[in-house]
Amino acid sequence: MIYLLISILSSTAIFVVFKLLKKYNINTLHAIVVNYFTACFCGYLLYKGKIVPSEIIQSDWFVAAIMLGFLFIAIFNVMALTAQKNGLSVASVASKMSVIIPIVFGIIVFNESVGFQKILGIVIALVAVYLTSVKQKRNVILTQSIYLPIILFLGSGIIDTSINYFAPNDNIPLFSATIFAMAAIIGVILSTGKALKSKSPYKINVIPFGIVLGIVNYGSIHFLLMALRVENTESSTLFTINHIGILAFSTLIGLVLFKEKISKMNWIGIVLALISILLVTLS
């Protein structure tokens, strides 16, 4: 469980860094590009073997890593568009509700256990996601941009499922590094194009934020994969605990560090999140 705890804390730290980017008026896209290069470097640094590009290209997971690199950037942009057109709450609910996809995948494909207590825990977890994510000023999801939260829901779920399915047991650092390398290349192309249009060059203050973001971003994926590879663990259980843990921690961090207002509905969601974690863990 230590791997899962580190993954949850790393993912929560991503939330904190994004808040700081907004507070200090740091270009988010530029920081994300630096983040992907940093995460890529972390993966190669942790890989103990000799890095041979030809072997990476010939590996069974290389094509999957390329596709995931594209998805990382694409879904990030979809998330931004969803927040702008449908509201932040809708974007938050759509991305977090996507946990149902890897859960169902694990139960069907990996033939993982299904019991009343586990199903109850998962259902309560989904209710907790909604209650914790929705703010008092709610946006109606049925707008002309309804396709955006649907794409965000499917894309986020596919990323989680694919990372678990394609990651090699003995090459997690190299697999993760390749994904981030592809995302970094695409990010450079996108950010360069936007910089030329808007005439907003990279600033030096982006680098430290991007490096910190990259370290915790890599940690969130690396340790989640490590947790998923522990013997006698089930992905449906781990993904539920991971998503709900991140949601609860992020909400509490927002309350304590950033003085965010939490409604009664949000508090009920946090309590239900803790209950769902206990039910799923002990099932």
Side-chain angles (χ1 to χ4, degrees):
M1 292 296 287
I2 187 65
Y3 291 139
L4 185 58
L5 179 60
I6 297 174
S7 176
I8 291 172
L9 292 176
S10 297
S11 296
T12 305
I14 293 174
F15 159 81
V16 175
V17 175
F18 273 121
K19 281 285 187 180
L20 293 175
L21 291 179
K22 184 178 181 181
K23 180 179 179 180
Y24 293 103
N25 197 27
I26 305 295
N27 188 299
T28 303
L29 180 58
H30 293 174
I32 285 172
V33 173
V34 176
N35 138 78
Y36 283 139
F37 277 110
T38 303
C40 174
F41 178 74
C42 287
Y44 288 132
L45 195 64
L46 290 176
Y47 181 62
K48 297 178 181 179
K50 185 179 180 181
I51 298 173
V52 182
S54 59
E55 291 182 2
I56 296 175
I57 294 172
Q58 293 172 8
S59 64
D60 296 335
W61 47 262
F62 180 68
V63 175
I66 292 177
M67 290 190 297
L68 280 166
F70 276 102
L71 275 176
F72 269 39
I73 289 288
I75 295 305
F76 167 76
N77 282 290
V78 170
M79 186 180 294
L81 286 171
T82 304
Q84 293 166 6
K85 295 181 179 293
N86 300 81
L88 188 59
S89 294
V90 172
S92 180
V93 171
S95 61
K96 291 181 175 68
M97 282 287 192
S98 67
V99 69
I100 195 65
I101 295 176
I103 288 174
V104 172
F105 186 87
I107 292 172
I108 295 175
V109 177
F110 297 137
N111 196 29
E112 295 177 354
S113 63
V114 183
F116 174 76
Q117 183 174 319
K118 187 173 185 177
I119 293 175
L120 179 63
I122 292 170
V123 171
I124 292 176
L126 295 176
V127 174
V129 165
Y130 178 78
L131 293 178
T132 311
S133 301
V134 174
K135 303 304 177 185
Q136 290 179 333
K137 294 182 179 179
R138 285 175 281 182
N139 297 73
V140 180
I141 194 170
L142 296 176
T143 67
Q144 60 181 357
S145 302
I146 181 64
Y147 66 93
L148 287 173
I150 293 174
I151 293 173
L152 178 58
F153 171 82
L154 293 173
S156 299
I158 290 170
I159 286 175
D160 284 339
T161 305
S162 300
I163 285 176
N164 179 33
Y165 185 76
F166 290 107
N169 293 334
D170 57 343
N171 261 344
I172 288 176
L174 200 57
F175 175 73
S176 303
T178 305
I179 294 174
F180 285 121
M182 181 55 59
I185 292 170
I186 300 168
V188 166
I189 296 171
L190 289 175
S191 61
T192 301
K194 287 186 177 182
L196 291 174
K197 286 183 180 180
S198 61
K199 296 181 181 179
S200 56
Y202 278 88
K203 295 181 180 179
I204 195 71
N205 63 350
V206 166
I207 295 175
F209 287 94
I211 290 174
V212 174
L213 183 60
I215 293 171
V216 294
N217 194 8
Y218 180 82
S220 68
I221 291 180
H222 177 85
F223 289 105
L224 177 60
L225 286 174
M226 292 291 287
L228 287 165
R229 295 299 177 267
V230 173
E231 193 175 353
N232 297 323
T233 57
E234 295 187 341
S235 63
S236 55
T237 299
L238 287 180
F239 274 117
T240 302
I241 297 172
N242 182 65
H243 276 65
I244 296 302
I246 293 167
L247 184 64
F249 270 112
S250 298
T251 304
L252 292 174
I253 288 290
L255 172 67
V256 176
L257 293 184
F258 302 104
K259 310 302 179 184
E260 293 182 350
K261 293 182 179 180
I262 297 180
S263 65
K264 290 181 180 179
M265 185 180 292
N266 298 148
W267 277 116
I268 293 171
I270 292 173
V271 173
L272 288 177
L274 297 176
I275 293 172
S276 70
I277 288 175
L278 287 174
L279 287 172
V280 173
T281 303
L282 300 175
S283 63

